Amino acid sequence: MSGSAAVAAGRPETADLGAPLYVAWQITNECNLACLHCIEESGPGKAFKDELSEASIFDILKQLMDDGVPYLSFSGGEPMIHPLFFDMVKYVCDRGAELKVETNGHFLSPENCRRMKDLGVKAVQVSLDGASRDSFNKMRVRGEFNTVIEGMKQLRDVELDIEINFSPTRFNVDEIGRAVDLAHHLGAASFYSGRTMYTGNAVKTWGKLVPSEDQYTEYFAVLHAKAAEYSDRMRVHFHEMGLLEELQYRRHHPAALLILLPNGLVKIVNALPFICGDLRTQSLGEVWGNFQRAWKDERVTGFIDEMVTDPGKTASLHQWIYV
Ligand code: SF4
């Protein structure tokens, strides 16, 4: 999972749909890395104690597929370390939904890449925060830049679509131009970025982490230039808006997207603490109904309003509130 402030912008809105169009499933909170900016507070030994059983996982998957959810992503934590990762991938792909895997890129062996390709994975999003080993390894604690680069080459060799996610910090913003070039060189089809979010691990490291506004201005100027430069070869997509502006937009135009946590609870959006259901005990239809109502709930709208004067409220995103 990335630390950028993307709030699923660009994804479809709810309108009168009978089910979400997209389920972003954080299949485990366990991770091999302990990144400075991790919005999920993931890391080694950080799996939730109540993560879903095998039976619950496949009950939920069956329901999602039976209800016709067309797009899913698996993220984490690090999804590829979940013992049922490939079984879950197979189930989704066999049922004909489009699946994206969001990974930190440390398990992209030739065998794993081939397996994902053969099973029918649509795209693999890799976190690549930097164009140098120094900045990448500083941010991705326990991570190794060269392993990720090798993994991307393996993805390219099996012709899996590669997407890159880049989270800006004070010490990697200057590398953004080179990072876009590197992504294209390694065969990426898309490059995504946005502002780093103040939550999770980033709350503890914010003082050393967050770019200044001047740095952000330069950062987005480079991204604009790179988007133009690569317009016919690679999609360079980024959100200049801060989190507050994105949430103010989402409040009136919720994306048709559910965030499914490793224990079956469902969040209305990753950047808010609100839980709208539990797929262990409720049907997707019930949860989807709750989701639509939740965006009008005054606890949700009030939380967003309070962010105007207290942007630090995002520090509490992991203290869930049931709506
Ligand atoms: S790779 Fe880093 S940012 Fe992603 S879940 Fe693991 S610790 Fe968090």
Side-chain angles (χ1 to χ4, degrees):
M1 169 64 62
S2 83
S4 74
V7 192
R11 286 167 180 158
E13 297 181 11
T14 54
D16 296 317
L17 297 167
L21 292 176
Y22 197 109
V23 172
W25 191 339
Q26 297 167 9
I27 66 175
T28 179
N29 206 51
E30 181 69 20
C31 193
N32 53 314
L33 308 187
C35 305
L36 297 180
H37 66 302
C38 181
I39 62 172
E40 304 302 344
E41 297 178 345
S42 300
K46 293 291 183 76
F48 291 174
K49 289 191 172 46
D50 59 348
E51 292 197 357
L52 292 167
S53 65
E54 180 170 354
S56 294
I57 286 172
F58 286 96
D59 280 351
I60 291 171
L61 275 177
K62 180 174 185 309
Q63 199 178 165
L64 299 182
M65 296 299 97
D66 287 351
D67 284 9
V69 175
Y71 303 104
L72 278 91
S73 62
F74 288 163
S75 64
E78 170 49 50
M80 294 187 72
I81 59 179
H82 193 288
L84 296 171
F85 171 73
F86 281 108
D87 298 315
M88 296 171 71
V89 169
K90 181 170 177 4
Y91 190 97
V92 171
C93 295
D94 283 354
R95 293 287 306 262
E98 289 196 2
L99 177 67
K100 175 159 85 167
V101 174
E102 298 182 5
T103 174
N104 62 36
H106 284 69
F107 298 95
L108 298 172
S109 63
E111 299 74 27
N112 285 345
C113 292
R114 169 52 60 194
R115 212 167 157 194
M116 284 195 285
K117 174 71 178 179
D118 289 347
L119 288 171
V121 168
K122 186 72 179 167
V124 179
Q125 181 177 297
V126 181
S127 302
L128 185 71
D129 318 297
S132 73
R133 185 169 182 266
D134 275 358
S135 62
F136 180 94
N137 289 13
K138 182 172 176 184
M139 180 151 163
R140 298 258 160 197
V141 175
R142 298 179 182 228
E144 174 49 56
F145 178 75
N146 292 329
T147 303
V148 177
I149 299 299
E150 272 312 303
M152 288 181 61
K153 289 178 183 169
Q154 301 303 332
L155 290 173
R156 181 184 60 191
D157 288 353
V158 299
E159 298 182 349
L160 255 169
D161 270 8
I162 304 171
E163 301 179 357
I164 295 299
N165 191 79
F166 186 106
S167 295
T169 61
R170 191 168 292 181
F171 51 82
N172 71 6
V173 280
D174 296 342
E175 297 181 9
I176 185 60
R178 284 196 290 136
V180 175
D181 295 341
L182 178 61
H184 180 258
H185 175 71
L186 291 168
S190 309
F191 188 100
Y192 298 111
S193 190
R195 290 170 180 257
T196 294
M197 270 174 61
Y198 180 69
T199 195
N201 292 353
V203 173
K204 295 168 218 143
T205 57
W206 197 243
K208 295 182 191 144
L209 207 66
V210 64
S212 66
E213 277 309 309
D214 284 349
Q215 283 181 308
Y216 265 135
T217 300
E218 175 62 20
Y219 181 74
F220 289 120
V222 173
L223 279 169
H224 276 290
K226 287 294 176 188
E229 181 184 341
Y230 286 104
S231 62
D232 56 345
R233 291 169 287 166
M234 180 175 74
R235 184 169 184 249
V236 178
H237 189 75
F238 51 93
H239 298 281
E240 282 181 78
M241 278 192 286
L243 184 58
L244 175 62
E245 292 93 329
E246 290 208 40
L247 288 172
Q248 286 171 328
Y249 178 80
R250 282 291 150 223
R251 166 181 180 172
H252 301 291
H253 309 278
L257 162 74
L258 297 182
I259 307 291
L260 177 51
L261 301 181
N263 54 6
L265 297 180
V266 177
K267 286 181 88 175
I268 63 169
V269 70
N270 210 27
L272 288 174
F274 298 101
I275 301 287
C276 63
D278 182 349
L279 284 176
R280 287 171 303 196
T281 55
Q282 293 175 291
S283 70
L284 180 62
E286 275 178 88
V287 174
W288 183 234
N290 291 347
F291 170 91
Q292 314 238 19
R293 281 189 292 280
W295 278 101
K296 298 184 180 68
D297 188 297
E298 57 189 28
R299 287 167 290 177
V300 175
T301 54
F303 191 99
I304 297 170
D305 288 341
E306 286 169 25
M307 283 177 63
V308 174
T309 50
D310 182 10
K313 282 181 77 68
T314 54
S316 64
L317 294 188
H318 296 281
Q319 293 159 26
W320 300 323
I321 301 169
Y322 293 78
V323 289

